[in-house]
Amino acid sequence: MAAGRRAPPEPGGGPVLLQGIFGAGPTPGAAACSLALTARELQRLERTFRVSLGPDAEDNLRIAQAWSRRIRELSVPTVPTQDGDSYGVLPRPCRALVLVNPQSGAGRALEDFQAVVQPMLAEADIAATVFITERPHHAQEKVRDEDLSQWDTLVIMSGDGLLHEVVNGLMERPDWADAMQKPLCILPGGSGNALAASINYYAGNDHVAKKKLLTNCTFILCKGLHTQMDLVSLSTASGKRLFSFLGFGWGFISDVDIDSEKYRRLGNARFTLGTLQCLAKLRVYQGRLSYLPAVPEQGTPLAHRDPHAPITNGQAAHVLPPAGTEAPGALPADSLLVPLCQPVPAHWTVVPEEEFVTVYAIYQSHLGTNLLMAPAARLNDGCIHLFYLKAGISRLALLKIFLAMARGTHLDLNCPHLCYVRVQAFRLEPRAAAGIMTVDGEALACEPVQGQIHGRLCRVVSGS
Amino acid sequence: MGGSASMLPREALSEYQELTFLSKQEILLAYKRFSALLPKEERVNVCSARVPKSQILTLPELRANPFQHRICHVFSTSEDGDDSMSFEDFLDMLSVFSDSATSDIKSHYAFRIFDFDDDGTLDRKDLEKLVNCLTGQGEESRLSNMEMEQLIQNILEESDIDKDGTINLSEFQHVISRSPDFASSFKIIL
């Protein structure tokens, strides 16, 4: 900490890190600069430094403000130099539109926002305007028609479902390419939130839950660093096209995930008696799964596969054109996919088994707050992590896998029924309309679906 | 069935329709299936006969059910403690497991079924037994102690609202009411 005239140190005060969020304000009398520093353990510490260099109050104020400015500058996160152009920092002062679903978190989302988030944002010079959603698709409509130039960031305080609406609302705009440059931020609204848990994980934080996760994510927002995130474009047989940021699922995982209360998520429920119930009547679903393997990186094993899995040509398909090079206004083309009515391209892999307990394509690390499904996943790793559980797995093995998933060690169990492969695109054709399908945790009609990755299509506030 | 099977008296039929969630056809079918479990000579007076548990468990609908023993125990009114079932016990069971039974009724009975020590709450021992029923009875088909501990911890964290280390009926019903299709998995249709 730089030298200067200081007020007597507070009792028990110790060294503080100079990374933090803070505000400055003069107090009556001698100009003072008051800092609230957030130490590593995210406790709010307050230190007041009084400037009384000379008798002139205005002079003192100017010095205090200069200190304040300089300290603030020093606290701005260093933008990483590799991939330098893909990182950014939110401006200060920052104007944030905060979309809140008041029913999120068993109705406590708004309360938590006011109690936990708002004070931190105020100190970080982020002006928050709250928009309360009143029904499904409300958020989607809002961002679709909104004048985005008045906001520096769109903050979603709710579950993954609301972010899903926002992403799809933005993609509905004619100026989507610009709109998708607007950094999005997720704050867990009390219910389990897989993206928030993933971002917390990418930031190198310990696994935490609920309030602590909210504090961590708010801190990440206050730092203001943002980077690019992959999205997956999904197309269904009935002609729907959706953009997804978290995952697509079918079967057991989705069965447990969905119920009449739309806002409950697997991440929140973890293993309840309801999950055991699904386990009791373990169902098997028939369908065909095909995929285009991802381009292997140097030395990285492409898949955690069982020895009986098919060997493919291994050649990657044509390279994805960078987003934005299509005709203006046209949505990013799914250049890796052929229409659903045609067979998959020859260089794709078709899974020989046609009976599954579950298929889950995930593009973040966490399936739920407590389920680290794809430890290797990153925000912009350019691939989809495809998992499938073949029929024949015992209830015991399934239970063991999900228990191990809490620590991300399920792949070490080497269960022959669990398959994991990194892909750029996939297609799932259920034999019948059986089993629930989910996108980002929201229910979807069960029908043939295919999807492909679109690298770095949007921006999110993240810790690293 | 032959002529040796007796018929369910009409008053009994309407009474059972009143007292259970079962339809007329369902009751008649239950009567038929229950009679078939009795030795020939007892089929004359079906309504006062008791079928031993071992016979009940031969029913295909129960044979593969992980909780078959508990189900018999809960619905049996046998004073000998042998878990044998009378026709009315049998109807009670089918009624609770029928399509028309309310979620409240189902969760009430589910709770009793999972309450292995019949003490009115689901404690760790009950939950352990519950999980072991699901995973299988053999030594190799059990979770390790650590895994069991983790699972029970998760369940209690989610369901034990008053944090007393056990799940009581209302906590259970609260959790189950949010469960995907609890009702549809808690079904036995003959």
Side-chain angles (χ1 to χ4, degrees), chain B residues 4-72:
Chain B
S4 58
S6 63
M7 295 275 293
L8 183 60
R10 181 170 308 170
E11 314 81 58
L13 180 57
S14 14
E15 202 184 305
Y16 291 144
Q17 275 181 274
E18 290 278 324
L19 295 173
T20 70
F21 289 103
L22 299 169
S23 69
K24 189 160 113 175
Q25 289 97 305
E26 288 168 329
I27 296 171
L28 290 173
L29 180 56
Y31 190 78
K32 205 156 125 172
R33 298 290 297 277
F34 189 80
S35 311
L37 295 174
L38 290 168
K40 267 211 171 99
E41 45 304 349
E42 292 188 44
R43 285 182 201 165
V44 178
N45 218 340
V46 173
C47 289
S48 51
R50 297 199 78 86
V51 171
K53 176 161 87 168
S54 52
Q55 276 294 98
I56 299 278
L57 294 185
T58 61
L59 286 170
E61 294 82 358
L62 280 178
R63 218 166 35 218
N65 189 309
F67 302 106
Q68 48 180 226
H69 296 281
R70 286 297 303 165
I71 290 172
C72 284

Side-chain angles (χ1 to χ4, degrees), chain A residues 283-399:
Chain A
R283 291 180 59 180
V284 153
Y285 303 93
Q286 295 178 324
R288 170 171 298 185
L289 178 63
S290 337
Y291 58 81
L292 175 63
V295 180
E297 294 162 32
Q298 287 291 44
T300 323
L302 187 57
H304 216 96
R305 43 166 92 234
D306 71 304
H308 306 294
I311 314 291
T312 69
N313 261 347
Q315 272 130 36
H318 36 289
V319 177
L320 278 176
T325 56
E326 300 81 16
L331 286 175
D334 286 332
S335 50
L336 298 176
L337 304 177
V338 302
L340 272 165
C341 50
Q342 294 173 18
V344 292
H347 55 277
W348 280 44
T349 304
V350 180
V351 172
E353 295 85 357
E354 298 206 345
E355 285 197 324
F356 304 94
V357 166
T358 196
V359 174
Y360 209 91
I362 194 170
Y363 356 116
Q364 304 297 343
S365 59
H366 281 66
L367 174 63
T369 327
N370 289 291
L371 294 171
L372 176 52
M373 189 172 194
R378 293 295 180 268
L379 281 174
N380 46 40
D381 57 11
C383 73
I384 297 168
H385 301 259
L386 182 63
F387 289 84
Y388 55 97
L389 273 171
K390 296 188 286 198
I393 188 173
S394 69
R395 289 189 192 117
L396 178 69
L398 188 54
L399 207 40

